[in-house]
């Protein structure tokens, strides 16, 4: 390394080399290593000003920590016991655990790994904040960023190696316990759905559970008698529903912000589910299960309803499923009515009939049933029947060959992939185009650089903007790299990933139908167990958005600082004046687009932590943070995409260079002395700077006064135009 190499590059280079080495060596990082080693040393302008490669790598390791948290939690829960837990696995007994309870042995390796995962998640937040604080030509959080990422790589790698050696290798299966639990389960009744219908199957399960018998020994006297008994059992539910409805009608106006109160009706109809009858507003298409959810999850009010992209995606999915189910024997008249009703949902025509909030069951079951009930009732109307008659059944027809466990993750992927492809990426591409145009427009404007917020050596304004352009370019690449996993659909996995109650080829046909409907390259998931139990694709995509938010935070902060003034700031850029900036200071105009974008970036950073925690909480065959994960990512996509588009349209396009101000700063800067280093040495150059600064003279005057250079030599060497690229 040459002895005159800029210290900034040296300080960055050492952790980059160490980081690349650790990443390549770590068993947890896998494919990250090859990619990151290629990214480490690209572009001096981009690499000094931004630490996006570190944030990107941390995002990948953060995703890995989410996966490992799920794996470790699953294993320790499956081994819980030995007498009073699940006990399907027997873990190695490595050491005694308790100082008071003789014989206790705990899943210590699982616990160590989950603690390491939590460390990585916290470190990722620190790296994100550090990465977002690169101003102008230098990020000054390098030691923090490097140390946290190196710690994450080392600790997670070691914890994973210990977990594999001391736990995974020695795991044994408790076959007796597994067999016992399997044959005691009432959910085997699910395979009776196609034969006797959902409600009769539910009655069998309830009777077996109540009487302590097996399902095989559970006999229902007749359909009419079972319904009679069913009404007797659920009469109290009807009374409760009527009381609740009358209570709502008399509620004071201050309470009417609730999502179900704002959709109140003065007349009701009776709908039924396996819990019995319940009153539903007559003018609404939803049914009993949606109504129960409204009563049980009054959380957050109308501003927390399920995002519209999820609702529209349900319409797309249910239409496609009905189309495929007709191939497998669904009555064509019912199938076509379902398709027509689902089309109305996908077009947003029935949005008022989807009142449920995000904060519900973590599998999204109630929103799936909301869609099933709305589509079933609307399809019944299309066929000339009344709402609530179940001429089209929400479970047996609309939800045929499906489970909430595969429909909700499927609509999550449809909604996110559509928003990324149709809204987010186009916004970023437009921003990239405008930044690139500015880098070309400003390519001949030489200005002073800044590091540590202090004067540095010159560069062109075009070079400065080229760093911004490259950051956005890499951001587009990052989110594009995540899309292949987002295009994989869970549909066909049904309850736990096995595809029970669906037909062979059903999953492939559904994915093809959705792809045709959306014009996006959806495919059936490579492994349905992964897509139901984990949402790593969402954590990965959120990580990409998190990195992009770091990039945009830096860009927006630079531009608003460069545009600060107009008299008493840097004032090198002139930003568009879109609106008055103050209610008290006349004539003040603020960099509002920059401020809006940075706030959107902060939102995305927070959302990413929520998605991360949600992604890490998939247990066994199901992740039960689905509504949270979906809503946070969709909000990040929408807000950051819109903010980027607004920033490009209302700020970047209209940016102008303040030539007079740029030239003044350039020729007043003392850091032009840097080009004298090879001639007179660092110490003499420093003496020139100190003398000029102390006495208020020019560099040339100070240099000549000290006698370290001749006038003609100074004029030949101190030429800003020669300082913006390597010498020959």
């Amino acid at each position: 390394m040459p002895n005159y190499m800029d210290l900034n590059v040296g300080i960055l280079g050492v952790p980059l080399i160490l980081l690349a080495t650790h990443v390549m060596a770590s068993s947890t990082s896998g494919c990250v290593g090859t990619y990151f080693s290629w990214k480490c040393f690209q572009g001096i302008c981009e690499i000094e000003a931004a630490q996006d490669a570190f944030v990107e790598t941390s995002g990948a390791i953060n995703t890995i920590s989410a996966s490992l948290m799920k794996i470790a939690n699953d294993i320790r829960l499956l081994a819980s016991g030995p007498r009073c837990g699940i006990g399907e696995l027997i873990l190695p007994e490595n050491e005694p655990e308790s100082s008071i309870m003789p014989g206790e042995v705990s899943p210590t390796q699982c616990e160590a790994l989950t603690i390491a995962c939590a460390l990585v998640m916290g470190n990722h937040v620190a790296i994100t904040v550090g990465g977002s604080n690169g101003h102008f030509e230098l990020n000054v959080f390098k030691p923090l960023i490097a140390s946290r990422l190196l710690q994450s790589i080392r600790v997670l790698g070691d914890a994973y190696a210990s977990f594999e050696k001391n736990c995974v290798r020695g795991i044994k299966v408790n076959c007796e316990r597994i067999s016992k639990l399997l044959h005691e389960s009432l959910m085997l009744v699910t395979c009776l759905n196609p034969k006797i219908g959902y409600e009769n199957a539910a009655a069998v399960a309830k009777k077996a559970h109540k009487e302590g018998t097996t399902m095989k020994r559970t006999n229902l006297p007749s359909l009419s008698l079972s319904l009679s008994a069913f009404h007797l059992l659920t009469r109290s539910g009807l009374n409760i529903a009527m009381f609740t409805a009358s209570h709502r009608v008399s509620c004071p106006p201050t309470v009417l912000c609730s999502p179900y109160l704002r959709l109140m009706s003065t007349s009701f109809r009776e709908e039924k589910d396996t819990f019995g009858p319940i009153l539903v507003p007559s003018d609404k298409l939803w049914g009993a299960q949606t109504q129960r959810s409204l009563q049980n999850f009054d959380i957050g009010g109308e501003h927390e309803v399920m995002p519209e992209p999820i609702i529209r995606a349900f319409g797309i999915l249910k239409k496609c499923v009905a189309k495929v189910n007709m191939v497998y024997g669904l009555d064509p008249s019912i199938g076509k009515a379902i398709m027509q009703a689902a089309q109305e949902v996908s077009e947003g025509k029935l949005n008022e009939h989807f009142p449920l909030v995000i904060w519900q069951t973590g599998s999204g079951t109630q929103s799936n049933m909301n869609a099933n009930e709305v589509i079933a009732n609307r399809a019944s109307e299309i066929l000339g029947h009344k709402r609530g008659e179940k001429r089209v059944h929400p479970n047996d027809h609309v939800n045929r060959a499906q489970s909430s466990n595969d429909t909700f993750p499927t609509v999550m992927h449809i909604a996110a992939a559509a928003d990324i492809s149709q809204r987010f990426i186009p916004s970023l591409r437009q921003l990239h185009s405008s930044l690139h145009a500015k880098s070309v427009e400003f390519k001949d404007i030489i200005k002073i650089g800044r590091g540590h917020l202090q004067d540095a050596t010159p560069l062109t304004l075009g070079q400065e903007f080229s760093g911004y352009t490259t950051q956005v370019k890499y951001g587009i690449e990052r989110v594009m790299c995540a899309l292949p996993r987002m295009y994989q659909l869970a549909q066909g996995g049904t309850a736990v990933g096995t595809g029970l109650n669906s037909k062979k080829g059903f999953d492939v046909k559904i994915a093809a139908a959705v792809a045709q409907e959306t014009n996006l390259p959806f495919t059936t998931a490579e492994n349905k167990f992964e897509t139901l139990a984990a949402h790593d694709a969402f954590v990965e995509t959120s990580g990409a958005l998190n990195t992009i938010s770091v990039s945009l935070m830096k860009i927006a902060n630079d531009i608003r600082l460069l545009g600060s003034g107009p008299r008493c700031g840097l004032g090198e850029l002139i930003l568009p004046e879109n609106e008055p900036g103050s209610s008290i200071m006349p004539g003040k105009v603020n960099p509002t687009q920059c401020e809006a974008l940075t706030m959107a970036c902060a939102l995305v950073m927070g959302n990413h932590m929520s998605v991360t925690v949600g992604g890490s909480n998939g247990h066994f065959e199901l992740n039960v943070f689905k509504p949270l994960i979906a809503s946070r990512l969709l909000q990040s996509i929408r807000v950051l995409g819109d903010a980027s588009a607004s920033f490009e349209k209302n700020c970047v396009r209209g940016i102008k260079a303040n030539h007079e101000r740029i030239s003044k700063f350039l020729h007043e800067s003392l850091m032009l002395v840097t080009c004298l280093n090879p001639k007179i040495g660092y110490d003499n150059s420093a003496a020139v700077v100190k003398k000029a600064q102390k006495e208020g003279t020019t560099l040339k005057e100070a240099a000549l006064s000290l006698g370290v250079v001749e006038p003609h030599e100074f004029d030949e060497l101190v030429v800003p135009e020669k300082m913006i690229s390597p010498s020959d």
Side-chain angles (χ1 to χ4, degrees):
M1 182 182 294
N3 59 9
Y4 54 81
M5 183 174 184
D6 190 328
L7 180 62
N8 295 326
V9 178
I11 258 182
L12 178 61
V14 172
L16 276 173
I17 294 168
L18 289 173
L19 178 59
T21 303
H22 278 289
V23 171
M24 291 296 289
S26 173
S27 61
T28 67
S29 301
C31 63
V32 176
T34 303
Y35 179 65
F36 184 67
S37 63
W38 173 76
K39 299 283 277 186
C40 277
F41 301 103
Q42 291 196 19
I44 293 298
C45 282
E46 198 267 345
I47 207 166
E48 278 208 59
Q51 301 298 299
D52 295 356
F54 279 73
V55 181
E56 176 184 15
T57 304
S58 179
I61 296 171
N62 186 68
T63 303
I64 293 167
S65 73
S67 303
L68 295 178
M69 179 82 84
K70 180 251 189 300
I71 294 167
N73 279 331
D74 275 7
I75 289 175
R76 66 176 175 174
L77 286 167
L78 285 170
S80 60
R83 292 286 182 89
C84 304
I86 297 172
E88 292 184 347
L89 296 180
I90 303 170
L91 303 189
E93 297 183 1
N94 296 318
E95 64 278 310
E97 176 58 19
S98 176
S99 63
I100 191 173
M101 292 178 287
E104 190 200 24
V105 179
S106 299
T108 53
Q109 291 295 322
C110 297
E111 292 167 3
L113 181 56
T114 54
I115 293 168
C117 292
L119 169 74
V120 171
M121 294 173 190
N123 279 350
H124 184 53
V125 174
I127 291 165
T128 298
V129 174
S132 70
N133 277 278
H135 298 300
F136 307 128
E137 282 64 62
L138 187 67
N139 181 293
V140 292
F141 278 59
K142 288 183 174 70
L144 168 74
I145 294 170
S147 65
R148 294 307 91 191
L149 187 54
L150 288 170
Q151 183 189 48
S152 292
I153 293 169
R154 177 62 185 269
V155 172
L156 192 62
D158 288 352
Y160 173 77
S162 178
F163 175 68
E164 185 276 329
K165 176 183 177 182
N166 300 306
C167 180
V168 176
R169 290 186 196 179
I171 291 175
K172 293 181 172 60
V173 176
N174 189 339
C175 298
E176 181 180 351
R177 181 68 172 171
I178 289 174
S179 178
K180 181 178 184 293
L181 295 177
L182 174 65
H183 292 96
E184 287 180 354
S185 174
L186 296 176
M187 289 305 99
L188 297 178
V189 77
T190 306
C191 61
L192 295 178
N193 288 1
K195 178 68 174 177
I196 66 175
Y198 176 93
E199 292 175 355
N200 283 331
V204 170
K206 284 195 171 191
K207 184 175 175 63
H209 182 59
K210 181 179 180 181
E211 298 177 359
T213 62
T214 66
M215 289 182 293
K216 187 174 182 180
R217 294 179 181 176
T218 301
N219 298 310
L220 298 177
S222 69
L223 181 60
S224 60
L225 286 177
S226 65
L227 287 176
S228 175
F230 186 75
H231 278 294
L232 289 174
L233 288 170
T234 57
R235 184 171 295 164
S236 58
L238 176 59
N239 293 336
I240 292 171
M242 294 178 67
F243 170 78
T244 304
S246 62
H247 173 67
R248 287 178 189 166
V249 172
S250 61
C251 276
T254 55
V255 189
L256 294 181
C257 60
S258 164
Y260 52 83
L261 292 177
R262 68 187 173 87
L263 298 168
M264 246 180 18
S265 175
T266 55
S267 62
F268 298 87
R269 68 177 185 276
E270 183 183 285
E271 289 254 6
K272 299 176 183 177
D273 60 10
T274 57
F275 271 41
I278 190 172
L279 295 182
V280 174
S282 299
D283 59 339
K284 302 305 177 189
L285 288 167
W286 66 73
Q289 291 199 42
T290 303
Q291 191 65 34
R292 293 190 197 282
S293 180
L294 284 173
Q295 293 177 184
N296 295 331
F297 297 94
D298 182 16
I299 303 172
E302 61 185 48
H303 299 295
E304 296 294 324
V305 296
M306 194 64 68
E308 185 177 340
I310 292 288
I311 305 307
R312 289 176 179 257
F314 262 122
I316 292 169
L317 177 62
K318 297 297 181 178
K319 176 183 178 181
C320 293
V321 171
K323 180 180 179 181
V324 172
N325 272 333
M326 284 192 287
V327 176
Y328 291 110
L330 178 64
D331 185 328
S333 64
I334 292 176
K336 290 176 182 177
I338 291 173
M339 289 181 66
Q340 182 179 334
Q343 179 68 28
E344 293 178 9
V345 172
S346 70
E347 293 172 352
K349 294 179 179 178
L350 303 179
N351 284 351
E352 65 175 293
H353 302 282
F354 290 87
L356 299 189
V357 294
I358 297 162
W359 318 110
Q360 51 167 283
T361 177
S363 61
T365 298
Q366 288 149 357
S367 281
N368 178 47
M369 285 308 303
N370 188 180
N372 291 336
E373 290 173 342
V374 168
I375 292 170
N377 274 326
R378 179 70 188 108
S380 293
E381 289 182 335
I382 291 169
L383 293 174
H385 298 272
K386 294 180 179 180
R387 299 175 184 180
E389 291 183 357
K390 293 190 177 179
R391 174 64 179 83
V392 178
H393 198 282
N395 296 90
D396 297 336
H397 296 141
V398 183
N399 202 59
R400 176 170 169 156
Q402 303 155 69
S403 164
S404 298
N405 298 351
D406 64 352
T407 58
F408 200 88
T410 297
V411 299
M412 287 169 64
H413 280 239
I414 293 172
D419 270 12
I420 290 170
S421 302
Q422 298 165 7
R423 180 185 297 273
F424 186 73
I425 289 176
S427 295
L428 279 191
R429 283 179 173 156
Q430 184 59 51
L431 177 58
H432 173 267
S433 177
S434 290
L435 287 170
H436 176 68
K438 289 299 175 182
S439 73
V440 174
E441 179 184 341
F442 300 150
K443 66 183 177 63
D444 297 323
I445 302 173
I446 301 173
K447 57 161 286 180
I448 203 64
R450 295 178 178 87
H452 302 272
L453 299 181
Q454 305 301 303
D455 301 350
T457 55
L459 76 166
T460 69
L461 186 57
Q463 287 173 323
E464 194 165 44
F465 269 74
S466 75
Y468 308 152
T469 304
T470 302
Q471 284 187 273
V472 176
K473 172 190 169 186
Y474 288 165
I476 295 169
E477 292 175 1
R478 286 169 179 128
V479 75
M480 290 287 287
C481 285
L483 275 176
R485 267 79 64 196
M486 195 62 77
Y487 286 136
Q488 294 190 27
L489 300 183
Q491 201 62 51
T494 62
V496 296
T498 60
L500 176 67
N501 287 352
S502 68
K503 301 291 186 180
K504 289 183 179 180
F506 176 81
D507 55 350
V508 175
K509 287 183 172 65
I510 292 294
V514 173
Q516 184 179 24
E517 188 74 18
T518 60
N519 292 317
L520 292 173
F522 288 107
T523 61
T524 190
E526 176 185 341
N527 187 298
K528 305 298 191 303
F529 305 103
E530 190 270 346
T531 51
L532 269 62
H535 290 301
D536 294 352
F538 270 69
V539 182
E540 176 186 17
T541 304
S542 181
L545 263 68
N546 185 69
T547 305
I548 293 167
S549 71
V550 167
S551 303
L552 296 179
M553 177 82 83
K554 183 252 191 296
I555 293 167
N557 277 332
D558 275 12
I559 288 176
R560 67 173 169 178
L561 287 169
L562 287 170
S564 60
R567 294 284 180 89
C568 304
L570 296 179
E572 292 185 348
L573 296 180
I574 302 170
L575 306 186
E577 298 183 358
N578 297 318
E579 64 276 313
S582 175
S583 62
I584 190 174
M585 293 176 282
K588 188 170 187 287
V589 180
N590 295 332
T592 51
Q593 291 296 320
C594 298
E595 293 167 0
L597 181 56
T598 54
M599 286 189 287
C601 292
L603 172 73
V604 172
M605 294 173 192
N607 279 350
H608 181 53
M609 177 49 65
S610 297
V611 172
T612 299
V613 173
S616 72
N617 277 278
H619 300 302
F620 310 128
E621 281 64 65
L622 189 66
N623 178 293
V624 291
F625 278 61
K626 287 176 170 61
L628 168 75
I629 294 169
S631 64
R632 295 310 92 183
L633 184 62
L634 288 170
Q635 184 187 53
S636 292
I637 293 167
R638 177 62 186 266
V639 172
L640 194 61
D642 287 355
S644 298
S646 179
F647 178 65
E648 183 278 327
K649 177 183 177 182
N650 299 306
C651 180
V652 176
R653 286 188 201 178
I655 291 175
K656 294 182 173 61
N658 187 338
H659 295 269
E660 181 180 351
R661 185 74 166 175
I662 289 172
S663 178
K664 180 178 183 295
F665 280 147
L666 175 65
H667 292 96
E668 287 181 355
S669 173
L670 299 177
M671 290 302 101
L672 297 178
V673 77
T674 306
C675 60
L676 293 179
N677 288 0
K679 177 69 177 176
I680 66 176
Y682 183 92
D683 290 343
N684 284 331
S685 295
V688 170
V689 170
K690 287 190 175 185
K691 183 176 178 63
Q693 176 69 0
K694 182 177 180 180
E695 298 177 358
T697 62
T698 66
L699 280 176
K700 185 174 183 179
E701 290 169 344
L704 295 179
S705 175
L706 290 173
V708 294
V709 70
E710 296 297 325
H712 72 279
E713 291 176 319
F714 186 94
D715 293 338
E716 289 173 1
L717 293 172
V718 184
V719 181
E721 289 79 6
K722 295 180 180 180
M723 299 176 68
I724 59 175
S725 63
S727 59
D728 295 330

